[in-house]
Amino acid sequence: MSQINAIFERIENITNINGESELIPIVFQHHQSDINNEAKGLFSSLKTFLHNIFNEIDELASCIKNDETVLISVKNQKLLRTCFQFIVSLGISPCLVPGLGISLSKRCTLGALLPPQNLSDDQKYEIIVDCIDFFVRSYTVPVLKNIIVTFHLSDYLAALIQLCFAPLKKPGVYNNYRMTEETYEKLNMDRQKYIQVYEYLVNNCFQPTLMKELLVLQNVCDHTPPAFVKKVIAKELSRRLVVPGGLLSLIRCFIDSYEMDTGIEWKKIDIICKLIATKHGYTNETLYLQNICSQLKQIFIVNNSKYLTTAIACLITLIERYPNSEAVKALTSEVFDSFKFENIISGSHLPGTIILTTQEIDHKIQIFHSCLCLANQEIVYKFLSPNIRVLFLLGMKCSNGDLKRKLNEILLKLLEHISKDEIAPLIKTFLFGNDLRSSGIKVEEYQAGLVLKSSTVTDCFYPMDDALFYFIEIFKESTDRNFVQVVLETCLQIHIDLSIKRKKCQDETLLSQEDDPVLLNDIDKQYINILHLLSVISESSKISNCLKTCPLIVINFVEYFLQHNEENSESQTIALILLNTILPDLNDLSLNVRLKNLVPTLEKIAHAEYNSNRILSKEALSMILGEKIQQGNSAYEKAVSDVFDVLLPTRAHGIIELTKLIDVQDAETISKRHFVFCLFQEQLKDVDSYVYLAAINGIASLALHCAEDVLAVLCREFLNISTQIVDVETSEMQNKIQELRMKVGDIIVKVTKRLGDMCIIHKTLLLNTMLTGCRDEDPLIRASALSNLAEIALALHYKIGSIIYELLLCIGSIIETDKAIECRRAAVMVISSLLKGLGKETLVQLEDNLLPLYRTLNKLYKDINEDDIVRLHAQIALEELNDIVHDFLFSKIDMNKPVSMLNQSKEIIYK
């Protein structure tokens, strides 16, 4: 070990630029009197300096090879990196041709200070050869190899490219230079030697790093790389791509990053797709595509979302570029037909045989999910659509949260892109299992996950109730208006068809014997399920927008159940709700005649004493006939009458009265809550702030009865109030809108507190709304959103989950970048509230974010130029954090010891 220490002492003396080194005066001082003498002196001193370093490190390498247990300290490793930096800065970079290699001025301060060296070409060649020979020797020692690969691989490659592939002049006399036969032969011999070194390096180096460094050398900006450099690098990259694992190395070169995850980087993926779409190497097109498809097949085995997304994008590019390639077709079928219904049922499997294992299902679903974020969606959905039926079976049985989320997203995207003609039979298949019952396949879930099995036709039982609930779950997640409209129209038509079939079946049962048992047949079960689905759809806030834009989709349903099927009270109620929903905004004159035909039926229902739908019928009649709603005896009818009044104060009064009726749990008002909710939504369009706030308060009062719809409307209004801000010109109106938005935010907080523990299921909507409000242009809205965040977190009992990281990132950005002092005060206050609420859970929940948070708070508190209130909140947060850590480290130990008497075991005495 003493020998090692002596070596490092000598190295430190050689590289000490502030000491007695003879190199520094020669490099940094210029003798303008005699340039030739200066060049000779510089070359001699430079060569001596480098060889001194070479000799010491070679001796160190010899010691390491003789004793593999030698350990190099961190300080000495840093000294070695300094030596290699000297070698590159003084020996390699100045000797490279312009445009080859990375400029030293962009990598270190020493490189920027070094003056140009006046060396001849022969001197440069001799120095660079010495340096590369040293690199070759050092590459066999692990410690030195790690320094070369980590910090100077691009320099090593650049020097080898120049020595191996730079064009040589033929023997002869040129301007200021004479190439002799001996020199030419020596250069050629050196070239053959360094080509072997180059081949060893590129074949054994970590391929993603190698590709990255080659791309860096190819795109030098200071000087345009020479033609031979571009040609060599392009050829090498092509060669690296077609070797086994080359495509994965290229993807890792572009995609892998040690920085924070920023999502899919589409520009890089686009570059990769363009690279593989062009044939590389000297093979023909067929062999090249077989090579690339084989590599893509290996990448699809990797369970990495970024790699899978890139591989899918590459496959789509190959499909578009080479549609007739057999290799591309085979890979396309293998990737996209994993759950194709026809392929699965066509396979000959014995009953009980596992068709797809848990691992296969999970991985194939991961591949499908990676397709959803691609730009070319049409071709993706074209290939994924044949899998939709089996995917629905899997989703219906799945209970794993992450896997079920992926399945829901895949199914929803596919359903939203399927044409209207195809979705009707598909919904029937989902809800009633028409084709799936006789498929001979079934899905089972074990503790490990889902399994797709083969079964007999008699053993296949299709759970229609589970299918119904799963379809409702998917429908609620949809935000596409066209899909919602198509589902509603399809379900209404299915309901009519089933009603006709049931009527025929009931007529047939009248001829049966009285002793025959009355059981629910398949049509009755399907009818019940479709009725359940329609009741859920009618309660959704998404339906009101569809009915306003296209009311014709419900007219057939309304006419059938009001005129031809009057005995069905449940369907009659749904029909009247839909009719009252479309009538206020109905402007289609062609429908007036059809609506007039409904008047006799509506009058009959309205005058029926014991019919529960008479109130709905009266409302429909008043809107069809264009009459004012008649004054009723009940408080609800009076309030609704006021809402439809022409005078603005009367309308506002009606809204307030409806709100009071909801608060006192009026039975008639609660039974009509969905109609009242629609009325309140219509009043949100009123430009008068008094009516608007009354409607907002009314919607908030419905929170306990339809919380999901209420919060959706309130959050949408907070982010974008219906009043057109772009048309507002006066500052007074702008201030008015700000005030309205802040009041809506306060109402959201009140609703959240009113929901109590039930608000936990809406935490994603609430927190995302306020986090979006934190990015608003208005500082007052940002401050209000931050304050609301603290209140909502308190109502959630600080059970925020993974959203807390996004919340901390948002708050940190506001503290560092926001110019409004109100926002910064609110941001620090939210941190203080979070720490106080989390308590001991702070250390578990925040984990790696705790140290940056502490540093931010400490910096704010110690900054004497900071706002006093911000410093006060920071002090409170730090004290809270100090108490949490103190309680964790020095938790109190209960010193009471229970002692029980043997003869009286029930009595316990504490001492």
Side-chain angles (χ1 to χ4, degrees), residues 684-703:
L684 294 178
K685 298 178 181 178
D686 201 303
V687 296
D688 187 82
S689 60
Y690 185 69
V691 175
Y692 177 84
L693 284 177
I696 285 290
N697 284 308
I699 291 175
S701 66
L702 288 168

Side-chain angles (χ1 to χ4, degrees), residues 723-844:
T723 307
Q724 296 297 322
I725 299 179
V726 293
D727 297 333
V728 177
E729 296 181 356
T730 63
S731 59
E732 181 180 354
M733 289 300 296
Q734 291 178 348
N735 294 335
K736 189 176 182 181
I737 291 173
Q738 293 173 356
E739 183 179 355
L740 286 176
R741 291 185 65 183
M742 287 188 285
K743 288 182 179 178
V744 173
D746 293 338
I747 292 174
I748 292 175
V749 173
K750 291 179 181 177
V751 169
T752 305
K753 292 180 178 179
R754 187 179 299 177
L755 290 174
D757 293 338
M758 292 190 298
C759 69
I760 191 70
I761 62 176
H762 307 291
K763 72 173 183 179
T764 302
L765 174 64
L766 293 167
L767 293 174
N768 285 343
T769 299
M770 294 307 163
L771 286 172
T772 305
C774 292
R775 299 197 305 265
D776 197 89
E777 296 179 358
D778 191 339
L780 292 178
I781 300 300
R782 295 199 300 272
S784 175
L786 287 167
S787 177
N788 295 338
L789 265 179
E791 294 292 336
I792 291 172
L794 175 62
L796 293 170
H797 303 297
Y798 299 95
K799 297 177 181 178
I800 301 176
S802 59
I803 304 180
I804 194 170
Y805 303 116
E806 185 178 353
L807 191 148
L808 290 174
L809 180 61
C810 175
I811 293 173
S813 300
I814 291 176
I815 292 174
E816 293 179 1
T817 62
D818 205 309
K819 297 180 180 179
I821 191 63
E822 298 86 357
C823 300
R824 300 178 70 247
R825 290 173 178 174
V828 183
M829 183 271 293
V830 172
I831 293 178
S832 176
S833 176
L834 279 175
L835 293 176
K836 185 175 182 180
L838 289 172
K840 292 183 178 180
E841 291 297 319
T842 302
L843 305 177
V844 179

Side-chain angles (χ1 to χ4, degrees), residues 31-41 118:
H31 304 284
Q32 300 297 332
S33 58
D34 191 349
I35 296 179
N36 292 329
N37 292 333
E38 177 192 351
K40 291 179 181 179
N118 297 321

Side-chain angles (χ1 to χ4, degrees), residues 508-520:
E508 294 176 358
T509 55
L510 293 175
L511 302 176
S512 62
Q513 298 181 4
E514 293 183 0
D515 295 336
D516 292 343
V518 179
L519 300 174
L520 289 176

Side-chain angles (χ1 to χ4, degrees), residues 644-697:
F644 285 95
D645 199 279
V646 180
L647 297 176
L648 187 146
T650 307
R651 292 205 308 272
H653 175 73
I655 297 171
I656 295 173
E657 288 299 317
L658 281 175
T659 304
K660 292 179 179 179
L661 291 173
I662 295 170
D663 292 337
V664 298
Q665 302 290 319
D666 180 71
E668 184 178 3
T669 307
I670 298 301
S671 65
K672 292 293 297 170
R673 60 188 179 276
H674 299 295
F675 177 70
V676 174
F677 182 67
C678 293
L679 284 181
F680 287 155
Q681 280 189 284
E682 286 299 315
Q683 301 306 317
L684 294 178
K685 298 178 181 178
D686 201 303
V687 296
D688 187 82
S689 60
Y690 185 69
V691 175
Y692 177 84
L693 284 177
I696 285 290
N697 284 308

Side-chain angles (χ1 to χ4, degrees), residues 354 358 399 444-451 453:
I354 295 178
T358 299
S399 61
E444 295 182 356
E445 185 175 29
Y446 300 95
Q447 188 173 1
L450 298 173
V451 172
K453 282 187 175 182

Side-chain angles (χ1 to χ4, degrees), residues 545-600:
N545 296 327
C546 294
L547 296 180
K548 292 173 186 177
T549 56
C550 188
L552 187 62
I553 60 177
V554 299
I555 291 298
N556 293 334
F557 178 83
V558 171
E559 288 179 339
Y560 176 79
F561 283 102
L562 290 183
Q563 294 181 336
H564 306 293
N565 199 6
E566 299 178 5
E567 66 277 5
N568 193 323
S569 61
E570 296 88 354
S571 300
Q572 190 181 81
T573 302
I574 296 176
L576 287 171
I577 291 175
L578 293 174
L579 181 61
N580 286 331
T581 303
I582 66 173
L583 283 175
D585 297 305
L586 190 61
N587 297 320
D588 192 350
L589 298 178
S590 62
L591 296 177
N592 287 340
V593 177
R594 298 177 66 176
L595 293 175
K596 294 288 185 182
N597 295 333
L598 297 176
V599 171

